[in-house]
Amino acid sequence: MGVYLVSIGAREWFGEDDEELGEDEDEIGYGELASALNGELLRRGLPPYASLPEETPFVRGSGMAFEEKLVPPMDGFTELCRVHLSREETETLCGWSALVPISLDDEIWLPVESGYTDSTMVAGAPQVLAIAERLARILDLPPEIPATSDNLDLTTWFLDGPAKDTAAARPGPWAEDLDVAFYVALFLRAAQHVLRRGCPIVYS
């Protein structure tokens, strides 16, 4: 149980798995979201989001999938955003329900249920990446932080792995609050993954 950020492959995004499995009519899958997003992109004069990769077999460290669990408290991260970001930038960075590899000047709100809300906010990974990179520079995140998130790599590194030892060996702003560093790294790696793989990331 808990809240996860996960990448989605083409079949799941377009709802093909739901159709084959006979999804209950009361359940809302990603197919509805994909259709609503493309409708809004068309209205804005943008091309549809129609090309994305399928999921691949799991290979640890391959960077082909993304899965992280939001375990640490977010209070310190929220304060970091309040100090260094505008309200709009904070909303763009961490208020989305779906992150896509499309440059969006403004977030897209869709009347489609997501995992935890009655509507879905879609953000563009280029915009999220730019904001996350600013915070990463402010904290001076170390290079030892995992570059992939195939199977809770960040979550494990910060909660059960070498984060504390690394912080002792490489002191700096990032080491002052590892929970804050986790969330900066989380949104940074999420945006990087979306742009590298061309797939969406959603809350699950």
Side-chain angles (χ1 to χ4, degrees), residues 61-73:
S62 68
M64 301 297 284
F66 190 99
E67 180 186 11
E68 295 292 352
K69 187 175 183 179
L70 281 65
V71 178

Side-chain angles (χ1 to χ4, degrees), residues 4-31:
Y4 292 80
L5 283 182
V6 297
S7 55
I8 299 295
R11 290 179 61 83
E12 188 173 3
W13 178 252
F14 292 117
E16 296 174 16
D17 288 341
D18 297 338
E19 294 175 3
E20 292 183 2
L21 293 174
E23 184 186 43
D24 189 282
E25 293 182 358
D26 293 332
E27 295 290 333
I28 297 178
Y30 296 113

Side-chain angles (χ1 to χ4, degrees), residues 24-62:
D24 189 282
E25 293 182 358
D26 293 332
E27 295 290 333
I28 297 178
Y30 296 113
E32 182 177 351
L33 172 57
S35 178
L37 173 60
N38 282 341
E40 178 60 21
L41 291 173
L42 178 64
R43 190 188 71 80
R44 295 187 180 198
L46 298 172
Y49 178 39
S51 178
L52 56 151
E54 290 290 358
E55 293 185 13
T56 60
F58 173 71
V59 177
R60 185 177 297 279
S62 68

Side-chain angles (χ1 to χ4, degrees), residues 78-137:
T78 300
E79 178 63 15
L80 179 75
C81 292
R82 187 192 67 78
V83 171
H84 294 284
L85 304 177
S86 68
R87 181 177 300 178
E88 292 77 15
E89 289 172 329
T90 300
E91 182 74 2
T92 298
L93 176 65
C94 52
W96 47 268
S97 305
L99 187 63
V100 296
I102 302 170
S103 183
L104 298 172
D105 292 335
D106 298 300
E107 300 82 20
I108 295 177
W109 285 92
L110 299 172
V112 179
E113 289 184 17
S114 61
Y116 300 94
T117 60
D118 293 333
S119 60
T120 296
M121 192 265 263
V122 181
Q127 286 72 29
V128 170
L129 178 61
I131 298 170
E133 285 177 336
R134 282 171 50 195
L135 294 182
R137 287 192 295 269

Side-chain angles (χ1 to χ4, degrees), residues 163-179:
K164 291 183 179 179
D165 290 340
T166 304
R170 296 178 63 96
W174 81 277
E176 295 173 5
D177 191 327
L178 294 181
D179 292 344

